[in-house]
Each structure stands twice: as structure tokens, then as C-alpha cells.
Amino acid sequence: MTNKISAGTLTEEELRELVPQLQQLTEKYKRSEQIQRALFDISELAGSISELSRLYNAIHEIVGEFMNAQNFFVALYENDEKIVKFPYFVDEFDEGVLKELPASDLMGGITGYILRSGNPLVLTEETFLEQGKKLGFKSFGKIPIDLIGVPLKRGNRVIGAMVVQSYDKDVRYAQDDLDLLIFVSQHIVNALDRVKSRELTEQTIRERTKQLREINDELQDEILERQKVESLQQALFEISEIAASIEGEMSDFYASLHDILARLLSAPNCYVAMLNDKQDYLEFPYYSDEIDSTIESRPLGHGLTEYVLRSGRAELIDASRVKELADDNELDKQTAENMIKHSNSWIGSPLIVEGVISGVIAVQTYGETAKYSFRDLELMKFVSHHIAVAIERKRAAEAIQKYNLQLSKKVRERTDELHKTNVYLKKQIEERKEIELKLIHDAHHDALTNLPNRVMFNSRLELAVANKNRYPEHNFAVLFIDLDRFKQINDSLGHHAGDMFLIEVASRIAKCIRAHDLLARLGGDEFVILLDSFDDFTDVEEVANRIIYSIAQPFTLEGKEMYSGASIGIANVDAGYQSADELIRDADAAMYQAKSLGRGRYVLFDTSMRQKLLEELELENELRRTLKAESFDCHVQSVLDFNQDTYLYHEFFVRWVHPTLGKIKREQFWKIAQNSGLTLEVDNYMLDQALKVLSHWKSLSGAQSEQKIAINLSINHLSQSKFVNQLIDRVKAADIEPSNLVFEIDENELNRRAQFMLPAIKKLKRIGVILVLDNFGSGLASLSYLYSYPFDFVKIDHRFVRSVTRSKRNYSLIQSVLAISDQLSFKLIAEGIENKDQYQALFDAGCHYGQGLFLEPPMSMKTIMNRDSLPRRQNVS
């Protein structure tokens, strides 16, 4: 509510009463104006001042305008460092003392209370001690008459304190002063933040500017250095260029070197000094000097040039250095005096080529203003090497040019002679080309048949594979051909006949294919064909049938008629193939399949064949592991004497039980052993086990046991005399009577190399080993074996025994063999007797020895070795 007062309605007394109120109101407005001006000044300072130190001083002045603030300080709390800094501190007693203190030292004082509590504080001399006890603080330094402290806050967080204090009793503070400081403090914080931010920004700008300036200086230095390097490179290039030029005089060459050198360093004066051939005289092919226009050659003395020649390194010599050298008698006195007189600065560097000093190149200046530096010395040292090479090349080129002039005459004289020589060389080159063509041909062709070899075939096949992958509509096929009876032809008729056989085979196959097909010999009796661009697979089958028919026709070799055959594996070149080796591998697999199906046929490859090969490979690996671990199942099956009802001997054999495929058939087992070359190892394993059994029986009898044990001996053990000798040595080493050992030899294996086996069989017979011809009748059943070989027993094949009760022919065969057994001194053993009828028929025919499940089943070796008595036959008749 506003009262309207009219001066005309008030008395003088009432007016006097209003004067104090008006004065108070005037003071209030005046103070408000001061505060507004202070805030405005603070805002202006925050926008214009970039250094905090100036801001604190200005704030002090502003605060001092509306209250007595002679003693004034600002404290800032650094929370990370746990310290209190005093960026501004004015105190008539403690001024200049405080900069910063650990927070722990101040938290118990007035400043610490404001920082901890965030509350303003008003203290007077009268209330100081009482407030200190109440609020929990103590004084540091002189106790003031009056004190006002307000917190500086950024949001709700206390960042510092601002304090004014008075030590004068006439200067006291009131509540208005506290309100004023509280009001101003927040604006001061804002100003501090703005100035601090600007100060940090300007500091960052200054540091970044300094960095950029340093980087720029570095770049300028690098540019300058690069320019120097480029100048040096250009100079070296020019030196190389003028050295390579064969035209021009040497004097011009040296002058050009001087010009190039002058662009790299100050070289108003330059000379080149060279040693003569005897190394005792200096010659100056080039000399340019602003004082002395000429110089004479001279013997070696004690000059600057001679000093560099003696030291072998580049030297920088000036007036001070020359005096030292003269005092050390390295230079003559006259040279030293001349240098000092002219204030010379001289650099000389040796000219070294392949470690030999041939001379010196030197530059020099006169006067105090032009002096050489260490960098000039290093540059001269570097360039002098290239100059030395250039001088040597130029001198060599000049010498060569002179020598060429001398040679030109000799060249003319020898032109006729060289013409004759060229004719001769041309003839030699032509002969050499023919030889090279023959070498190339031989490298890609078989020497015997003149067919392409494996290298050339693989190369062509790789192209076919690439062609098929690029053009799927093109058809290719690989035929892998293996010949029958080639080994027998070689062994019986000799290698020459074998070679003639292969040549004839190559000729026959070549007639069965087209001109653009490729026939190659891989080696031995293996041939391959690449059929190119056929229309249908029937074309491939037709080629295969022609080849099979052609090879099946008789061959005349060494006047004898021989027969062979061909097994062919076919692999179509499909888009999935990546290499020639894959195709040859698959065609080879198909060929083996054709052989296993009966030979004289062709088979087209399919993936099951590859799987079969992988399985056979896995079986071979498993056989090796089983053989190494000796983990076969070992068994013994006895051969009986029917008349005595006793054991004739015990046949030892092994069974192989595969971990996943189960029991492996005996035929497959021996096929894997033969293909992997392990037959000798299997033989040795069985022999070792048989010898263990015999040793066990010998230990039980207390004397030499009459029990005999047999093993099946592969033909490989009889193919070489060393294998037979090793076999005999193993028997002797076991301390076993050879007569207790029986070796059974398979008739089918004997058929393959019968003519080579007789000496080995006789050697075994001589040491007392009992010999048995096993599976008689399963192969050729040749009676010549019975006449020629000293077998003690002949074991007739189980297939004849199985059908003896229903086949008169087989029964008659057994009777016939029995009829000649007495005359040829061998006894017949019937193998595979499975029932009583078979046993009775054989007994009635006169066969008194047999083996089979009906007579006695096999017994494991483990059972035999665990027994503590010799085998005894129980009479069951």
C-alpha cells in the first residue's frame, strides 16, 4: 500500500521525522546500486581478463568499494590433491606467507570449517572463542577483531572460501556485509570458472602454437636437409655421368668436377694431386687457384697433400691446426707460414679406389670470412670417394680408348681368321641346338619306347584339367594300363626280351588310339592314355576293348610264343578334379579293381574304389601297429597220426582281429602283408612265437621234447640266400633242435618263383628242418614239385578233402598221390577234415595223417604256455 504524501500537508516537525527514513532509504538504494555495479564489474572482468591472478586483485578492489576489505584472501580446495591453495592472500600480518597447505592441516581452522560445512561464518572478537568451541575450530595466526567468511560453491559442492577480516576496532562488520558477500560469492565463482576456462584455453592455444612453431622449424630444417641431400644426389649423379662419358679431354673432366664440387661447398680454389707409378712423385693434372695460377710436379715432401697421403684420411686444416702440425714436424715451416699469412682454410681428402690411395683432392679459401666447418669436412669425405671412382673410371676409359685404337688394327688383321672361326662356331651352335633339342626330347620321353614320359603326360593332363574346369562341355579321359606276366617274361627270358615286349606293347597300343590322343609310359609295365575330345563314353569303351584285344594276341620273343593281357582303369576328367595326380591316382585304383575282378578287362573309376583303397591303407597301418605291439591272436592246431592216434606236429598260425572290422580273413591278411612288404616280419614273428612254445615244452620235459611245431613260411624268405641264413641263425640261437621245427610252403607261392627256391629249400633240409608242401592241388598241382623238391610231407588242399565223399575224381586223385608217395619218400596229410565221413573215406583210401576241426580244434597259445605238461593225445577211438 502506498501513501501519497503531499509536502504541503506536512508540518515542519513531521518533515524532520521523515528525514532519517529518507536517508536510510537513500543509503539502501545507494548500496543496491553499489552491488549492481559490483556484479556488473565482476561480469565485465570475467569477459575481459584472461589471467586468474589479475581477476583476484580486481575482485578485491570491487569488494573494497562497498565494505572495508583491507585484509582479504581466497582459498580453493583441490579435492584430488587434498590441498588448499591460496591464489590470493592479502593480510597486514600474514601477507606473503601462505601459498598452499595440506587440507588436513587446515580442516581444524576457520577456513577448514567453511570448506567442511559449506556455511558462512561471522566472528567478532567477543564471540570468537565461544564460536570456536561451539563449531569446533581453532585459530591459526593472529585473531581478528571482525571476520566474515563465505563459501564458494559450484552447484552444491564447496570449492573454496572467501574471507575478509579486520584487525582495527574501528572497522566492524554488520549483517549487511555478510549478505553482500554471500550474494556476490556465487557470481565470483562464475567469474572464476569463466576466467579459468579462458586461461586454460589460451594456455592450450599457446602450447599448441609453440608445438606448431617447433614442428614448422623441424620441417624447415628437414626441407633444407632434404634439399642438401637432393643437391648431393644430383652432384653424385653428374659425377657418374661425366665419368661414364668417353668423350672429352681429362682437363675438361676435372673442371666439371670442380664445378660440381663448388655447388656443394665453397670451393673457389681446387686441385687434384696424383701419385706416379713409383709412388714417390706428385703430379697435378688439375689446379685452379686465385693466387697461384700454376703448380709444378714435385717429389714427395712435407706439404698438406703429403700429410693426407700419410694419414690416409680427410683433414680440415686452418691457421691454428697448421701450427700444431708444424710443431709436430708433420708440415714444413714454409707451408705453415703461407697458410697463416693468407688465413687459409684447407680441406683435403684421399682418393681411394679398392683400398688403395692414388691421390688427393683439395679445396681451400683465403681470408678470415670464409672458413670451412666440420660439416664441410664430412661432405668432402663422402664426395671424395665418388670422385675417386669417377677419376679412376675416366682414366680407365681413356686408357681403354687408347687401347681400342691399338686393337682396331689387330681386329682388321684378324677379321678373316674370325670369319673362319665364326663359320666353325655356327656349325658347333647348330650341333649344340640339335643336342639341346635331343635333351629336351629325352627329358620328356621314355628312352626305351620313345613315348612321352610321366613329366610330359602330367603336363598335358594338367592342361586338360584346366580346360575341363573352364569348358565343362569338353570331354577327356585317362586310361591306366597294367600288363600281365611281364615279370615272368623278364625272369624267364631276360631283360632284353622284356624290353622288346614293352616296345611291341607300345606299338600295339598306339595303333588303338587316335593321332591327337596321348600315350605315355610311366615306368615298368604301366602305360597311360589321355583321350582328348571324345563325344560319348562308348568311344572310351571302344578304345579300351581294342587295347585289351590287341594285347591278348600272342607275342614272339626270343623265338618263343608268349601271352600277356591288359587290365585297364578308366577315370573321366570331371570338373571336380584339381590336379593330374588325382586323375592318375583314381585311374590306377580302377585298374587294380580290374585286376582283382580277373584281369583282361576295364573298369571305370567310382568313389567307392577310393574308399576301398583308403580302407586297405588303414588296414595296412593297423597291421603295422598290431605287428609292432605283437597283439595277434596266436593258435596251434595239431596234425594227427591216425594209426597211432598221436600228434605228428602242431601247426602254429595267427589270427588278426581288427578293433572295428572284427576278424580278418587269412587270405586278406596275407594280401595286406604282401602289398605292404611285411611278409618277412610276419614270418619272423610267427617263428619267434613257435620257438617260445618249443622252449616251453623243452623246459617241461627235462630233456629234448619230441613235440614238433610248424609255421607257414612265405616265399619271400626263400628268395635270397641271406634271408635263409638269417632264418637258420635264429633257430640255432634259440637252442632248439631243427628237427622239431616244421616249415610249410604254399604251392601257389612256389608256382611264382619255383626255379629260384630249390637251393634255399635244400639248405633248410640239410640242417634237419621238416618241410611240407601246403595246399597241394590249389594251384597248378605240378607233379614236378614232388619229384624235384625234398618235401617230407604233402598237405592236400582242403577243397579236395571237403568233396572226397561225393567226388570220385577227387577221391581218385588222393589215391593217386598216395600211390606215388612211397616211391618219392613223402607222406600225405589231409587238411580240413570236418566230419566223420570224410575221416573214414580218407582212412579207407590209405591216408593216415590229417588235420581238421573233427579231429581236434585249435588251441590258443596262451593256454599252451600256461600248461605245466606236454600235449597228450586222448584216445577217442
Side-chain angles (χ1 to χ4, degrees), residues 106-140:
L106 285 177
M107 284 304 173
I110 296 171
T111 305
Y113 169 76
I114 298 172
L115 295 174
R116 280 186 290 109
S117 65
N119 297 324
L121 183 63
V122 178
L123 295 176
T124 64
E125 186 178 30
E126 295 80 11
T127 63
F128 189 91
L129 296 176
E130 179 184 350
Q131 288 287 87
K133 290 179 181 180
K134 179 180 178 181
L135 300 177
F137 62 80
K138 58 184 179 180
S139 174
F140 296 98

Side-chain angles (χ1 to χ4, degrees), residues 2-18:
T2 305
N3 295 322
K4 295 182 180 180
I5 302 173
S6 175
T9 62
L10 296 178
T11 64
E12 181 179 350
E13 185 176 348
E14 288 174 335
L15 289 172
R16 287 195 182 100
E17 290 176 358
L18 287 173

Side-chain angles (χ1 to χ4, degrees), residues 849-868:
Y849 302 100
Q851 180 185 30
L853 294 175
F854 172 71
L855 302 175
E856 187 164 296
M859 183 182 298
S860 71
M861 181 177 173
K862 184 177 181 182
T863 302
I864 293 173
M865 297 300 288
N866 287 339
R867 287 188 173 183
D868 56 359

Side-chain angles (χ1 to χ4, degrees), residues 417-478:
E417 182 182 349
L418 286 175
H419 176 70
K420 296 177 182 179
T421 303
N422 286 337
V423 172
Y424 173 72
L425 287 175
K426 185 177 179 180
K427 183 179 178 182
Q428 279 193 325
I429 290 171
E430 290 174 353
E431 292 175 354
R432 185 162 189 166
K433 284 182 178 179
E434 291 178 2
I435 294 172
E436 288 177 354
L437 290 174
K438 187 176 185 307
L439 288 174
I440 294 172
H441 179 273
D442 292 346
H444 293 84
H445 288 79
D446 175 49
L448 176 64
T449 62
N450 204 34
L451 293 176
N453 59 12
R454 183 186 294 271
V455 175
M456 185 173 178
F457 186 80
N458 279 8
S459 177
R460 283 282 302 275
L461 187 53
E462 291 286 356
L463 294 176
V465 170
N467 187 299
K468 182 67 176 180
N469 288 325
R470 188 172 183 182
Y471 304 105
E473 67 275 10
H474 293 180
N475 294 321
F476 304 90
V478 174

Side-chain angles (χ1 to χ4, degrees), residues 115-251:
L115 295 174
R116 280 186 290 109
S117 65
N119 297 324
L121 183 63
V122 178
L123 295 176
T124 64
E125 186 178 30
E126 295 80 11
T127 63
F128 189 91
L129 296 176
E130 179 184 350
Q131 288 287 87
K133 290 179 181 180
K134 179 180 178 181
L135 300 177
F137 62 80
K138 58 184 179 180
S139 174
F140 296 98
K142 183 175 177 59
I143 297 175
I145 301 298
D146 268 9
L147 180 144
I148 298 177
V150 295
L152 300 176
K153 294 184 178 180
R154 183 180 291 116
N156 294 324
R157 185 167 64 90
V158 178
I159 65 167
M162 182 171 63
V163 178
V164 294
Q165 52 188 343
S166 169
Y167 299 102
D168 189 350
K169 292 183 180 294
D170 295 332
V171 178
R172 306 300 293 263
Y173 299 130
Q175 183 65 35
D176 290 345
D177 297 320
L178 174 62
D179 294 339
L180 181 64
L181 280 180
I182 291 173
F183 183 72
V184 171
S185 64
Q186 185 58 43
H187 295 276
I188 291 175
V189 171
N190 292 336
L192 284 174
D193 288 344
R194 290 175 63 187
V195 174
K196 189 172 184 180
S197 175
R198 186 182 299 109
E199 184 179 45
L200 289 174
T201 301
E202 292 181 355
Q203 183 179 355
T204 302
I205 292 172
R206 286 195 298 274
E207 291 176 354
R208 185 60 179 162
T209 302
K210 182 180 178 183
Q211 292 175 356
L212 291 173
R213 186 180 296 110
E214 291 173 352
I215 291 172
N216 183 59
D217 292 342
E218 292 175 359
L219 286 174
Q220 291 298 327
D221 292 341
E222 186 177 343
I223 290 170
L224 183 60
E225 188 64 29
R226 183 166 294 181
Q227 289 174 345
K228 293 178 180 177
V229 170
E230 289 176 355
S231 298
L232 179 59
Q233 289 177 341
Q234 180 62 26
L236 296 179
F237 175 76
E238 292 180 8
I239 291 172
S240 178
E241 282 289 304
I242 62 172
S245 174
I246 61 173
E247 298 179 356
E249 299 294 331
M250 283 297 294
S251 58

